[in-house]
Structure formats: structure tokens, C-alpha cells
Amino acid sequence: MNGLMMQKKLLISSLIVHADRHHGDTQIVSRRVEGDIHRYTFRDCHRRARQMANALTSLGVKPSDRIGTLAWNGYRHLELYYGVSGMGAILHTINPRLHEDQVAYIANHAEDQYVFFDLTFLPLIKAVAGRCNTVKAFIAMTDQAHMPTDAGIDNLLCYEDLIEQSSSVYAWPVLDEDAASTLCYTSGTTGNPKGVLYSHRSSMLHTYAAALPDALNCSAREVILPVVPMFHVNAWGLPYIACMVGAKLVFPGPALDGKSLYELLEAEQVTLSAGVPTVWQGLLSHVEETGQSFSSMRRTIIGGAACTPAMLRKFQETYGVAVLHVWGMTELSPMGTICTMKARHVEMPQEKRYAVQSKQGRAVYGVDMKIVGADGMELPWDGATSGDLLVRGHSVVRDYFRSEGDSPLQIDHEGQEWFPTGDVATIDADGFMQITDRSKDVIKSGGEWIGSIDLENIAMAHPAVSQAACIAAKHAKWDERPLLIVVRKQQADLTREELLAFYEGKIAKWWTPDDVVFVDEIPLGATGKILKNQLRERFGDFLMQPAECQRVA
Ligand code: AMP
């Protein structure tokens, strides 16, 4: 027997409809690429999202067509979040920090029909336009007055023209809630970037779960500033959460330095913000240097990389800002765990609570997790035994978009499907997970991935290199940076500078390894694979204390 309740599909458009009807005059404030501050309301956003849906229909966009964006956090990007997904097309947020070859690869792999871009990314668009085979037009997210005159791009359209020419009368279609809504490629895997294709249902369930009190605890009384980009897993879902709860949204645009962020946080009386540790380091340095403090910010969400105990203490003890440590992945929509206390932790002495807070946290509703050993058997939740971290849930990836390889899932002894995260972790008796290592062969620098295999392949192409391995070395500012370990060919004469110069033009500049260590041999396992964990143990601190490690080397 079925229940007798109304059948209302879980659709992303329902979020902006709700925000308009119940929080219509709540503000959305954006620092624009044009330099000024833009201010409007959820009601305005909904009207313009409907105009954009009409504009896309006029351009011939059909359900399931992919629409790319190369854009900062701002109100026009938000309109596309709702206009594109709401009409049944798929919003494909592209990471503009990737090398132009990867951007072209991703746009072609996704078969993007249109690409919207902020003016900052005009040089990137110019570089890739000729290679994006399926794109019918590029749309500059600006008004006529700011349109580039000498872009040299065929089919360049103006965002504000599209809005102006379109009616605001539009009824959001009732889609299948399992229909795809959003596409986001991750470089946090080996090989080419892989597309994670979210559905309306998975996004809505993620939004409900992430907003809960023991998760991000969001409400209509909150002013939220997502520093985490809207091209990184939908800014961790905050643009959806803000609509669901009616929170004021503040978008920083391209200005992510400490001074600009601080000014915006204060001017808009932001209460909650979210970002990777590197961004917060910039902000903390700014307030320390200027002797300022936060007048309104009560909480900050830190994730994407581990939040250090030092940062935790600085925020909480010096500035009275509570830290919420989170762990997630593009493949998880992204929230996996959030570090909020259980009742028994509240009475704990502060020092013990810090130890708990440094962990990545406990599972958000909808995510199940376990740690397993090499034999695939589950390991105990004792806070000491570490194993490969597996997850499953209604907002967890099942397969990558148009993937040609094997399924990414593992089947356990009970026939259950799990997604292997590539992280190595412990779980304690209270269910708090702590990342202890990473088995995947990638480097995370300032919240962005760098593929170690690409860097090794380039080094190996140098005629004087016999063997090369690239590892994630700890870095004070960027969390991790690539360090190259190299065995020279016999009699070959190769310097660090020559090898680093060899990378020029082959990769995005910020991917270039920070340093090169020359060794006599690189440790190999039984199957001939490089033993990266041994190298990480030996050289992981190289960039922190180069002199000491050099002696070891
Ligand atoms: P991404 O898909 O780019 O969001 O990257 C996800 C990966 O970032 C995870 O699998 C972890 O390796 C890493 N990560 C994310 N959050 C944290 C955290 N709080 N602590 C440590 N590593 C993290």
C-alpha cells in the first residue's frame, strides 16, 4: 500500500521558488568582476533565473544539454545555477585554474553547448575557443558597456542582452527528480579529469542533510559568505542551502586576498563563511598584521584539506570564531563528515575538545562509511587502527560521466557497493573519522589538485632523467606542494634549474614542482611500482626543513 501524501518531486528549482516566496527580500550581495558591489534580492534572482531559462530555450537548449561556466562566485553564476538546472539542462561548472588543455578536454568530453564566462577568463576562452568542438556560443557574463571589443571569438554573446531580451514569465518544468542537474569534473584521480554528474534528487537530499544543526547549522538568521568557489562542487552546496533556509548570501567574486575578504566580511556583517585552509591563512595574516578583529563572524567552515590545530586555536582563542572542520569529496556532493560535538564532548576540558575538533568529523546523514584492511575486511572503530576509507549514500557517485573504464565502486563480502575514497583514516568509538594518509597519487595544493603522474611523465621525457617520482611534500602556505625525486642517467649532468625549466609551457605554471631532490635510487615494490609512502616518509618534510632533509638524502 502506498502512502497518501502529495507527490512533489525533489527539484532544484523548488529552492529558488521557496526563497522568492518566503524570503523574497533577503539580500544577495556580490563583489563584481567589474569592481563594484552589486546588491539585489532572492526575488530579483528568481526573476532573472526565469529570464535566463527563457533565453536558453530561445538559443535552442534542450533538456540534458550541458551548459558550461567559467565563473567566480557571484549573482550571475547563481542565476545560472537555477536557470540552467531548473529548465532541465545540466550546469557544468568548469575549474578555471586548470591548464587550458584540460579545460578544452573537459568542455569537449562534456559536449558543452554554450559556455558562460566572467571577463577575467577571456584570455582562457580565447585560448580554448577554437578547440571546443561542440560549443555554439560563448557568453560574457557582463553588460554591453563592458563587452570586449577585440575578443576575436566567433559567436560571442552578452549575458545582460540575453536577460533583457527575455520574458520573466516561465513555469519551471516538473522534471524526473533522478534527472541530471549539475556536472563537476574532479582532477583528484589519476588520468584525465572525471565528471561527477549530480541529480536533482541527490542535490536536494544533500542540501537537507548539510543544513541540519549537527551539520552546517544554517538558518534564516545567517549571513553566509562562501569563499569556496562555485566551480568546486557547487561551493559545498551553500548556494542551495542559502535558498532552502533563506540566509543572506555574500559573494566575494575574484577578490580572495585577506584584505578584500575582511572588508566584505565586515561590511556585510557575515556570520558564517567557508573555505580551504590556504584562504584562511591569508585572512588570518591580514587581521594579525592590522590588529583587527571580526565583529560579526561567529563560525567558519574549513575543509578541502586538513585544518591544523594551530589554525583551529587561532580562530577560536584569538578571534572567538568557532571552527567547523569538514571532510568531503567532489564524488560526495561533497559533504562526508562534519566535526560537531556529541553531548558527552560538551563537558570535556578544552584541550580534549581540541583533539576531537581536529578530526574530520562524523558522518552526515545519508553517508555511511567504513575503514577496511588490504583484505577488504572492516577494521575496528578504535581511533587507532587505520585503513582505506569507503563510503556509500544517496549523494555519492555511482559512476563517472561517460566513463570508459571499470566501475569506480568496490563490492564487499556482503555484496554491498562502496566508493573507495583514496583516503586512509581511523574512526573512533564515537564515529569520528580522522584522515591519516592518502593512497591516491595526487597532490593537493591550496585546495586544487596536481597530478603527480603528469609531472613524472614530463620529467621522464627529459633525456638526462632515468627515473622520477613526484610526491606531495608538506608546505606551510599551500598545505602540499609537488616535490620531484629524480635519478639521473649515468654520466648525465642535470641541474635542478634545468629540469624545472623543462616544465615551462607544458603545464599550468603553478603545477611546477617546488624543488628537485637527486637520489641514487628510488624504492620499488615487488611489482616494480614506486613505493611512494617510503618517499613521503623520507622527503615529506623537505619543503619545511630543506637543510635537514638534504642531509638525510
Ligand atoms: P575534492 O574532490 O577536490 O573536494 O577533494 C577531496 C579530497 O580532499 C579528499 O578525498 C581528501 O583527500 C581531501 N580532503 C578534503 N577535506 C579534507 C579534510 N578536512 N582533511 C583532509 N583532507 C581533506
Side-chain angles (χ1 to χ4, degrees), residues 1 9 99 151 153 159 171 212 242 273-274 297 343 383 391 444 500:
M1 189 187 290
K9 305 276 183 215
H99 188 264
I153 300 167
Y159 187 96
L212 286 170
S273 58
M297 190 158 75
V391 295
K444 205 166 199 192
L500 293 181

Side-chain angles (χ1 to χ4, degrees), residues 483-501:
L483 176 69
L484 200 60
I485 322 277
V486 170
V487 180
R488 292 189 195 94
K489 282 198 182 144
Q490 273 187 355
Q491 268 95 48
D493 196 17
L494 174 68
T495 66
R496 165 192 184 277
E497 286 69 28
E498 281 163 357
L499 188 50
L500 293 181

Side-chain angles (χ1 to χ4, degrees), residues 27-268:
Q27 286 194 5
I28 300 166
V29 181
S30 311
R31 194 193 287 278
R32 290 206 279 199
V33 172
E34 290 93 329
D36 57 347
I37 297 282
H38 174 272
R39 197 178 291 276
Y40 74 170
T41 64
F42 276 128
R43 188 159 297 131
D44 299 322
C45 176
H46 187 202
R47 176 175 38 78
R48 283 168 54 94
R50 294 195 307 269
Q51 286 174 287
M52 182 46 69
N54 274 325
L56 292 169
T57 308
S58 307
L59 287 172
V61 173
K62 303 268 181 311
S64 298
D65 279 353
R66 271 77 69 198
I67 307 296
T69 61
L70 277 161
W72 299 111
N73 292 5
Y75 67 104
R76 291 187 182 115
H77 208 174
L78 189 69
E79 291 160 8
L80 291 169
Y81 262 53
Y82 289 105
V84 173
S85 301
M87 72 169 298
I90 300 170
L91 182 83
H92 171 205
T93 52
I94 308 174
N95 183 346
R97 293 183 180 137
L98 296 176
H99 188 264
E100 60 186 53
D101 291 346
Q102 281 185 319
V103 171
Y105 167 85
I106 287 174
N108 283 325
H109 188 267
E111 297 182 343
D112 288 336
Q113 301 293 299
Y114 291 91
V115 173
F116 288 77
F117 67 97
D118 270 332
L119 287 178
T120 323
F121 305 118
L122 182 61
L124 180 56
I125 294 288
K126 281 184 182 174
V128 300
R131 287 186 270 162
C132 295
N133 306 326
T134 56
V135 176
K136 295 176 184 148
F138 294 90
I139 299 150
M141 294 164 71
T142 189
D143 53 20
Q144 258 313 326
H146 294 86
M147 277 299 278
T149 46
D150 57 347
I153 300 167
D154 299 337
N155 294 332
L156 181 65
L157 302 176
C158 169
Y159 187 96
E160 291 300 332
D161 282 358
L162 289 182
I163 295 273
E164 264 167 42
Q165 291 155 8
S166 305
S167 160
S168 62
V169 179
Y170 184 85
W172 297 112
V174 180
L175 309 166
D176 178 349
E177 65 184 28
D178 285 321
S181 60
T182 327
L183 177 62
C184 187
Y185 280 72
T186 174
S187 319
T189 54
T190 44
N192 281 322
K194 296 187 175 59
V196 182
L197 189 62
Y198 310 106
S199 68
H200 285 264
R201 178 189 145 86
S202 71
S203 304
M204 290 299 291
L205 292 176
H206 181 268
T207 307
Y208 273 114
L212 286 170
D214 260 3
L216 302 183
N217 188 15
C218 293
S219 75
R221 296 164 299 287
E222 214 79 69
V223 181
I224 305 177
L225 188 150
V227 184
V228 52
M230 289 165 82
F231 55 78
H232 269 181
V233 218
N234 310 316
W236 298 348
L238 289 167
Y240 299 138
I241 294 170
C243 276
M244 180 175 271
V245 303
K248 174 178 165 182
L249 265 174
V250 182
F251 288 126
L256 303 179
D257 60 286
K259 180 171 182 288
S260 308
L261 281 179
Y262 179 78
E263 284 168 5
L264 197 58
L265 288 168
E266 288 298 307
E268 298 304 324

Side-chain angles (χ1 to χ4, degrees), residues 395-468:
S395 302
V396 175
V397 74
R398 175 162 52 83
D399 202 354
Y400 292 106
F401 180 57
R402 298 182 56 209
S403 97
E404 283 159 16
D406 297 337
S407 161
L409 303 185
Q410 278 180 15
I411 316 274
D412 71 9
H413 300 279
E414 290 162 4
Q416 301 289 320
E417 289 182 326
W418 293 84
F419 173 74
T421 63
D423 288 320
V424 177
T426 60
I427 304 177
D428 69 20
D430 289 311
F432 284 71
M433 183 273 286
Q434 183 160 32
I435 305 271
T436 53
D437 200 358
R438 191 186 291 151
S439 60
K440 52 194 169 189
D441 207 1
V442 274
I443 299 153
K444 205 166 199 192
S445 169
E448 302 278 354
W449 291 111
I450 297 176
S452 57
I453 292 169
D454 292 332
L455 298 184
E456 287 161 8
N457 287 344
I458 294 173
M460 290 300 287
H462 193 287
V465 171
S466 155
Q467 254 188 322

Side-chain angles (χ1 to χ4, degrees), residues 214 340-348 362:
D214 260 3
T340 47
M341 302 295 104
K342 286 186 167 177
R344 75 177 205 84
H345 297 116
V346 177
E347 301 304 319
M348 267 184 179
R362 55 199 171 91

